[in-house]
Amino acid sequence: MNTKEYLEQAADIDELDEKILKLITKNARIPFLEVARECGVSGAAIHQRVQRLLNIGVVSGSEFVVNPQKLGYNTCAYMGIYLDKAKFHTQVVEALRNIPEVVECHYVTGQYAIFVKIQTKTNKHLKQLIDQELQDVEGIARTETFISLEMDFKRQVPIK
């Protein structure tokens, strides 16, 4: 089994792992000793379990999440991208990676080849980005853009 297959395989986790995951995904800054108290085990056991969950790829680090609106990024849009040819996929993704306002990029099935999430300061900023950067990427045949009016919720996958 290669590394990619290993990482895509569902991890073997037990009830203690699930309880730990529920606690740390609600609050990534929760002290391990508090998690240990909630779980009824030692702090060392929690540290070892979290390290194991990191090592097997169930969780990947921790991060602070920036609120885009607090930094003036008030327009959230999704864009379906049609490619001239499938062979352009890698080169288009690399070009998109160099546009900071493109915050997510997915290779998808269906009518689009690529689907991206874009955060811009205004609708005018979005239009500029489309006209001056995205439409100039070699390999993109055309795009279809959807502006999000409001995000009702966002969550992680359920932990049993």
Side-chain angles (χ1 to χ4, degrees), residues 16 20 24 30-51:
L16 178 57
I20 293 167
I24 66 174
I30 189 171
F32 282 177
L33 287 177
E34 192 173 326
V35 174
R37 275 193 296 278
E38 291 278 332
C39 294
V41 297
S42 71
I46 297 300
H47 180 74
Q48 289 173 346
R49 289 291 186 121
V50 170
Q51 192 59 52

Coordinates of all heavy atoms in Angstrom, one line a residue, residues 16 20 24 30-51:
L16 N -12.2 6.4 23.1 CA -11.4 7.5 23.7 C -10.9 8.5 22.6 O -11.0 9.7 22.9 CB -10.2 6.9 24.5 CG -9.2 7.9 25.1 CD1 -10.0 8.8 26.1 CD2 -8.1 7.2 25.8
I20 N -11.7 12.5 22.6 CA -10.7 13.5 22.4 C -10.9 14.4 21.2 O -10.9 15.6 21.3 CB -9.3 12.8 22.3 CG1 -8.9 12.1 23.6 CG2 -8.2 13.8 21.9 CD1 -7.7 11.1 23.5
I24 N -11.2 18.5 21.2 CA -10.2 19.3 20.6 C -10.7 20.0 19.3 O -10.2 21.1 18.9 CB -8.9 18.6 20.3 CG1 -9.0 17.5 19.3 CG2 -8.3 18.1 21.6 CD1 -7.7 16.8 18.9
I30 N -7.8 24.0 23.9 CA -8.1 23.4 25.2 C -6.8 22.7 25.8 O -6.2 22.0 25.0 CB -9.3 22.4 25.1 CG1 -9.7 21.9 26.5 CG2 -9.0 21.2 24.2 CD1 -11.0 21.0 26.4
P31 N -6.5 22.9 27.0 CA -5.3 22.3 27.6 C -5.5 20.7 27.6 O -6.6 20.2 27.9 CB -5.2 22.8 29.0 CG -6.0 24.1 29.0 CD -7.1 23.9 27.9
F32 N -4.4 20.0 27.4 CA -4.4 18.6 27.4 C -4.9 18.0 28.8 O -5.5 17.0 28.9 CB -3.1 17.9 27.0 CG -2.8 17.9 25.5 CD1 -1.6 17.5 25.1 CD2 -3.8 18.4 24.6 CE1 -1.4 17.4 23.7 CE2 -3.5 18.3 23.3 CZ -2.3 17.9 22.8
L33 N -4.5 18.8 29.9 CA -4.9 18.3 31.2 C -6.5 18.4 31.4 O -7.1 17.6 32.0 CB -4.2 19.1 32.3 CG -2.8 18.8 32.5 CD1 -2.1 19.7 33.5 CD2 -2.6 17.3 32.9
E34 N -7.1 19.4 30.7 CA -8.5 19.5 30.8 C -9.2 18.3 30.0 O -10.2 17.7 30.4 CB -9.0 20.8 30.2 CG -10.5 21.1 30.5 CD -10.9 22.5 30.1 OE1 -10.1 23.5 30.2 OE2 -12.0 22.7 29.7
V35 N -8.6 18.0 28.8 CA -9.1 16.9 28.0 C -8.9 15.6 28.9 O -9.8 14.8 28.9 CB -8.3 16.8 26.7 CG1 -8.7 15.5 25.9 CG2 -8.5 18.0 25.8
A36 N -7.8 15.5 29.5 CA -7.5 14.3 30.4 C -8.6 14.1 31.4 O -9.1 13.0 31.7 CB -6.1 14.4 31.0
R37 N -8.9 15.3 32.1 CA -9.9 15.2 33.2 C -11.3 14.8 32.6 O -12.0 13.9 33.2 CB -10.1 16.6 33.8 CG -9.1 16.8 35.0 CD -9.5 18.0 35.8 NE -9.4 19.3 35.1 CZ -8.3 20.0 34.8 NH1 -7.2 19.6 35.3 NH2 -8.4 21.1 34.2
E38 N -11.7 15.3 31.4 CA -12.9 15.0 30.8 C -13.0 13.5 30.4 O -14.0 12.9 30.4 CB -13.1 15.9 29.6 CG -13.4 17.3 29.8 CD -14.9 17.6 30.2 OE1 -15.8 16.9 29.8 OE2 -15.1 18.6 30.9
C39 N -11.8 13.0 30.0 CA -11.7 11.6 29.5 C -11.4 10.6 30.6 O -11.5 9.4 30.4 CB -10.7 11.5 28.4 SG -11.2 12.5 26.9
G40 N -11.0 11.1 31.8 CA -10.6 10.2 32.9 C -9.3 9.4 32.7 O -9.2 8.3 33.1
V41 N -8.4 10.0 32.0 CA -7.1 9.4 31.8 C -6.0 10.5 32.1 O -6.3 11.6 32.4 CB -6.9 8.9 30.3 CG1 -7.9 7.8 30.1 CG2 -7.0 10.0 29.3
S42 N -4.7 10.1 32.0 CA -3.6 11.0 32.3 C -3.4 12.0 31.2 O -3.7 11.7 30.0 CB -2.4 10.2 32.6 OG -1.9 9.6 31.4
G43 N -2.7 13.1 31.5 CA -2.3 14.0 30.5 C -1.3 13.4 29.5 O -1.4 13.7 28.3
A44 N -0.5 12.5 30.0 CA 0.5 11.9 29.1 C -0.3 11.0 28.1 O 0.1 10.9 26.9 CB 1.5 11.0 29.9
A45 N -1.3 10.3 28.5 CA -2.1 9.5 27.6 C -2.8 10.3 26.5 O -2.8 9.9 25.4 CB -3.2 8.7 28.4
I46 N -3.3 11.5 26.9 CA -3.9 12.4 25.9 C -2.8 12.9 24.9 O -3.1 12.9 23.7 CB -4.6 13.6 26.6 CG1 -5.7 13.2 27.5 CG2 -5.0 14.6 25.6 CD1 -6.8 12.4 26.8
H47 N -1.7 13.3 25.5 CA -0.6 13.7 24.6 C -0.2 12.6 23.6 O -0.1 12.9 22.4 CB 0.6 14.1 25.4 CG 1.8 14.6 24.5 ND1 1.8 15.8 23.9 CD2 2.9 14.0 24.2 CE1 2.9 15.9 23.2 NE2 3.6 14.8 23.4
Q48 N -0.1 11.4 24.0 CA 0.2 10.3 23.1 C -0.9 10.0 22.1 O -0.6 9.8 20.9 CB 0.5 9.0 24.0 CG 1.8 9.0 24.8 CD 1.9 7.8 25.7 OE1 0.9 7.1 25.9 NE2 3.1 7.6 26.2
R49 N -2.1 10.1 22.6 CA -3.3 9.9 21.7 C -3.3 11.0 20.6 O -3.5 10.7 19.4 CB -4.6 9.8 22.4 CG -4.8 8.6 23.3 CD -5.0 7.3 22.4 NE -5.3 6.2 23.2 CZ -6.4 5.5 23.1 NH1 -7.3 5.8 22.2 NH2 -6.7 4.5 23.9
V50 N -3.2 12.2 21.0 CA -3.2 13.3 20.0 C -2.1 13.2 19.0 O -2.3 13.4 17.8 CB -3.3 14.7 20.7 CG1 -3.1 15.8 19.7 CG2 -4.6 14.9 21.5
Q51 N -0.9 12.8 19.5 CA 0.2 12.6 18.6 C 0.0 11.5 17.6 O 0.3 11.6 16.5 CB 1.5 12.4 19.5 CG 2.8 12.4 18.6 CD 3.0 13.8 18.0 OE1 3.0 14.8 18.6 NE2 3.2 13.8 16.7

